Amino acid sequence: MSTCRIILASAILALATGCSINRPVADDYSTYLGNNARAGALPSARVADKYYLPPATQAHHYEFKSVMGGYANTWVVEFGKVLDATMRSSDVVAALGNLNKAGNDKPAAGNTLVFDLLRYSFEEHGAHIELAISIRNANGEVFRKVYNADGQTQGGKMFWGGAFAMKNAVQQSTKLAMDDILARFIRDAGNINVASAAR
């Protein structure tokens, strides 16, 4: 049997048996962010010393399929990994400083940013994020706001690139949505006196 026939038979068998190939999006998200850094893209404000992801946010797992990305593929977004990579990225470090990750949500010295994911989806060729961001310290919660953002749609890239471009499409739309959320949060947090609340 020729190589082409073996590949075709394998593909037909995979579709017939419902087999799917998992395509994780977040595993190389740090690399994507490094390759797409934009100096000065975010406003800056030093509002916290640490950040924390609640267990549900850290363990978030979202799967979807796309005809354009090859229906045999299941695209997997783990938003906890996305947030960890985002907080280590050069753009965010320049904007918020180098924040250490807190191992629990107990109040400690200084301010802690808390990222509570309420919703993530990738629909209609774009990422959709609803994220609550709060600032906590020994005095309790001193700031909290829910942000919604829709990443730029990536239909053209998905149509022309298919499965080869799908991961990049999800990463790009997710980054654009997160950039929008972080920019609004930094402007909001910069307008309140969270520094004095930490003392």
Side-chain angles (χ1 to χ4, degrees):
M1 186 179 278
S2 72
T3 303
C4 289
R5 287 182 179 176
I6 292 172
I7 293 171
L8 180 60
S10 298
I12 291 171
L13 180 63
L15 289 173
T17 59
C19 291
S20 181
I21 303 167
N22 283 347
R23 303 288 188 189
V25 171
D27 286 354
D28 61 350
Y29 194 67
S30 292
T31 302
Y32 172 81
L33 293 177
N35 292 336
N36 292 274
R38 296 185 302 143
L42 296 172
S44 64
R46 298 299 189 261
V47 297
D49 310 292
K50 297 169 291 298
Y51 76 95
Y52 171 72
L53 306 185
T57 300
Q58 187 67 69
H60 171 266
H61 184 97
Y62 172 81
E63 296 183 358
F64 70 99
K65 289 182 177 288
S66 168
V67 173
M68 288 191 216
Y71 212 71
N73 297 307
T74 297
W75 303 93
V76 180
V77 178
E78 296 163 289
F79 204 75
K81 291 182 178 180
V82 167
L83 279 172
D84 283 332
T86 299
M87 297 309 291
R88 293 189 304 265
S89 69
S90 60
D91 287 345
V92 171
V93 169
L96 290 171
N98 192 6
L99 305 185
N100 293 318
K101 186 174 183 179
N104 57 57
D105 62 350
K106 293 179 182 177
N111 289 328
T112 300
L113 290 185
V114 180
F115 295 95
D116 187 9
L117 179 67
L118 304 178
R119 185 179 69 92
Y120 176 93
S121 65
F122 193 91
E123 300 168 326
E124 298 178 352
H125 317 310
H128 309 279
I129 300 172
E130 184 176 8
L131 184 67
I133 304 178
S134 57
I135 300 174
R136 295 181 190 168
N137 57 39
N139 296 328
E141 189 173 83
V142 297
F143 173 90
R144 186 177 194 276
K145 188 170 180 179
V146 175
Y147 296 89
N148 289 277
D150 301 316
Q152 183 178 348
T153 58
Q154 305 290 309
K157 183 181 292 183
M158 291 163 61
F159 178 79
W160 294 108
F164 297 103
M166 188 69 192
K167 179 190 279 191
N168 182 268
V170 178
Q171 290 175 333
Q172 183 171 358
S173 188
T174 299
K175 179 185 187 302
L176 292 171
M178 276 304 303
D179 284 352
D180 179 45
I181 288 172
L182 288 172
R184 285 185 282 144
F185 161 72
I186 292 168
R187 285 192 290 268
D188 290 341
N191 290 327
I192 63 172
N193 194 9
V194 294
S196 62
R199 296 187 177 93

